[in-house]
Amino acid sequence: MMASLSWRPGRVERYILIQTARALGVALAVIGGLVMLIDYVEISRTLGSEAELSGARLFGLMLVKSPAVILQLLPFVFLFGTLGAYVGLNRRSELIAMRAAGLSAWRFVAPSAVLAFVVGVLTVTALGPLAASADGLWQRERGRISGSAPGERQEAIWLREGDDQRQVIIRAERQDRAAGRLMDVAFFIYAVGPDGARSFAERIDADSASLSAGRWRLVDAVGAQVGQRAVAYDTLDLPSSLADEEAFERFARPQSTPFWSLTRQIQRIEDAGFSSTAYRLRLHQELSLPLTFAAMAILAAAFSLRLMRLGDLARMSATAVVLGFGFFFLNQFSAALGSAEVVAPFVAAWLPPVLTALAALTLLIYTEDG
């Protein structure tokens, strides 16, 4: 019974898998090489002009910057790679031989779609987190090279914490991470009523604030409650619900957040009172990636199945490429709508791959069954 349920690819399927894998390797090498070349030139022009960096250092920065960009272009790798593999099979009349042997187009398109789906799962679970970690390292190294002082942020820092009785918004002009302090900091304290309404209660300004053991230690602080005179404090302690490292941790951008950390990051952001739309969009985009790869593979295969003797193979292949770029722009437009909260992140992430898959399957049905 178990043996009858198991499926093993036959000789034809294995041959198509090998041809597709080779074509995908060539497409990945070409696209990856172009991306790395462009990144190397860009890094040399920007960071290389700000600091004297050796060629090895520039090459290392390129290696941590390029993977995230290459992963974004993987749908084109499957489009061009699958298209090249099936056009090659068609030109060598191997597709004609398969059809003459009674094989359905579904049978020799399925291996490429399954391969694309499996690579998509591998990308989401393993390659994507590695690329996200590399992108985070690139962001930190770029900031360190172009920054003015190590361990100190120059932009304003915003934090939020609280519970069902009190909410605190914290703004600091800068931070000294080496000393574990926020500098030129202001605490805006709001009282939360029984109905959940917030009312401003107090503002406290301080020269510095450090977080330790569940409390803020403010130095040279001045506090003023509503309707009362300001009071100066040499030191002032305020309770805090933040972990020590969270005061000096910036939320990583969605592209720099590994897939396995996205759910926890979304929860942290929502607990802090900020919008997690960009991270939810990123999560659904990652989950839809296997379907995206499979849809692009089916689309490329469907456009390259037309027999050589019927002509128009070049036109059909060009149409597949145009539709592939159309999918890319649709995906970017949908992501922009999702980021602006015009549509839900789930819809923005899943709509483009679903539409592409439906279009590819419709074309394949038309090509095979008329």
Side-chain angles (χ1 to χ4, degrees):
M1 180 67 178
M2 294 299 296
S4 62
L5 292 177
S6 63
W7 178 84
R8 294 182 179 180
R11 181 176 299 178
V12 173
E13 287 83 358
R14 289 196 299 270
Y15 178 74
I16 293 176
L17 278 175
I18 292 173
Q19 296 299 316
T20 304
R22 288 177 178 174
L24 290 176
V26 173
L28 179 61
V30 172
I31 293 178
L34 288 175
V35 169
M36 289 190 289
L37 178 61
I38 293 173
D39 283 343
Y40 186 87
V41 173
E42 180 184 358
I43 294 171
S44 302
R45 182 177 57 84
T46 56
L47 296 184
S49 61
E50 297 179 4
E52 294 184 2
L53 302 177
S54 64
R57 178 65 169 159
L58 292 173
F59 185 77
L61 292 173
M62 178 204 68
L63 290 181
V64 297
K65 180 179 185 297
S66 297
V69 181
I70 294 175
L71 286 187
Q72 290 181 354
L73 297 178
L74 276 184
F76 289 103
V77 171
F78 283 95
L79 176 67
F80 296 139
T82 306
L83 189 64
Y86 281 89
V87 168
L89 292 172
N90 207 336
R91 289 185 180 278
R92 296 191 297 270
S93 298
E94 291 173 317
L95 291 183
I96 298 177
M98 294 178 189
R99 287 181 177 273
L103 296 180
S104 169
W106 297 98
R107 182 173 175 181
F108 49 80
V109 169
S112 298
V114 172
L115 176 62
F117 190 88
V118 171
V119 174
V121 173
L122 180 63
T123 300
V124 172
T125 57
L127 300 180
L130 291 176
S133 299
D135 183 73
L137 178 60
W138 154 249
Q139 297 296 329
R140 292 190 296 272
E141 288 297 310
R142 182 179 64 176
R144 189 183 65 83
I145 293 173
S146 59
S148 58
E152 184 175 325
R153 295 187 195 270
Q154 297 302 318
E155 69 270 17
I157 300 164
W158 289 89
L159 297 171
R160 181 172 175 174
E161 61 169 310
D163 50 30
D164 56 356
Q165 296 181 351
R166 189 186 72 156
Q167 292 286 322
V168 181
I169 298 177
I170 306 167
R171 184 186 189 278
E173 291 294 337
R174 63 189 189 279
Q175 77 172 27
D176 185 354
R177 187 160 188 169
R181 293 182 301 176
L182 299 176
M183 313 298 294
D184 295 333
V185 60
F187 286 71
F188 302 90
I189 302 174
Y190 293 82
V192 180
D195 58 350
R198 301 184 184 93
S199 59
F200 180 74
E202 185 179 7
R203 171 173 175 167
I204 303 175
D205 294 276
D207 287 347
S208 66
S210 57
L211 180 64
S212 178
R215 66 176 185 176
W216 287 103
R217 170 61 61 89
L218 280 61
V219 178
D220 292 334
V222 177
Q225 297 182 2
V226 176
Q228 298 185 14
R229 299 181 61 181
V231 181
Y233 306 91
D234 292 334
T235 61
L236 178 64
D237 291 339
L238 295 177
S240 174
S241 60
L242 292 175
D244 292 358
E245 68 274 7
E246 287 181 329
F248 304 97
E249 223 178 50
R250 187 188 204 174
F251 289 131
R253 65 186 190 132
Q255 293 78 6
S256 302
T257 305
F259 171 75
W260 300 110
S261 302
L262 277 171
T263 303
R264 185 172 66 253
Q265 185 79 316
I266 290 171
Q267 187 62 46
R268 285 185 56 214
I269 292 172
E270 291 180 347
D271 289 343
F274 297 103
S275 173
S276 63
T277 300
Y279 297 85
R280 289 188 177 275
L281 176 63
R282 177 67 176 176
L283 176 62
H284 286 294
Q285 285 177 330
E286 290 287 310
L287 292 175
S288 65
L289 202 59
L291 176 61
T292 300
F293 290 174
M296 297 298 274
I298 296 173
L299 182 67
F303 271 99
S304 57
L305 292 180
R306 187 178 179 86
L307 299 179
M308 286 290 295
R309 61 183 176 82
L310 298 180
D312 289 338
L313 182 60
R315 182 177 62 84
M316 295 287 286
S317 300
T319 304
V321 173
V322 172
L323 286 180
F325 280 99
F327 161 78
F328 176 79
F329 289 113
L330 174 62
N331 191 43
Q332 295 298 312
F333 179 71
S334 182
L337 293 179
S339 299
E341 300 184 359
V342 177
V343 298
F346 175 84
V347 176
W350 285 93
L351 183 61
V354 168
L355 289 180
T356 304
L358 291 176
L361 291 174
T362 301
L363 178 63
L364 188 59
I365 292 173
Y366 176 80
T367 302
E368 178 64 9
D369 302 324

